[in-house]
């Protein structure tokens, strides 16, 4: 004679961990987009006015 047994499993998600994981992923994606945009702007400036004028403009902006 065999006996049937039933087991119930219950998975409980930690809301704080999941929210933190989502926020970290979103922050990483946004920072990657900002980095790509900054690189595109720098390349555009280098092509547009040349590397020496970019350096001159940077020094002027920092020193006033």
């Amino acid at each position: 004679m065999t006996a049937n047994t039933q087991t119930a499993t219950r998975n409980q998600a930690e809301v704080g961990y999941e929210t933190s994981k989502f926020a970290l992923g979103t922050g990483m994606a946004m920072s990657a987009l900002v980095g790509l945009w900054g690189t595109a702007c720098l390349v555009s400036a280098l092509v547009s006015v040349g590397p020496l004028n970019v350096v001159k403009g940077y020094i002027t902006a920092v020193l006033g």
Side-chain angles (χ1 to χ4, degrees):
M1 181 166 163
T2 60
N4 290 335
T5 59
Q6 291 183 351
T7 58
T9 58
R10 184 175 161 192
N11 292 335
Q12 194 170 15
E14 294 183 27
V15 177
Y17 175 74
E18 295 296 328
T19 304
S20 175
K21 188 174 167 184
F22 174 75
L24 180 64
T26 303
M28 287 171 46
M30 294 303 294
S31 64
L33 286 174
V34 169
L36 288 173
W37 185 260
T39 303
C41 289
L42 181 61
V43 169
S44 171
L46 287 172
V47 169
S48 199
V49 296
L52 293 177
N53 284 334
V54 170
V55 172
K56 179 184 171 190
Y58 178 74
I59 292 171
T60 303
V62 170
L63 298 178

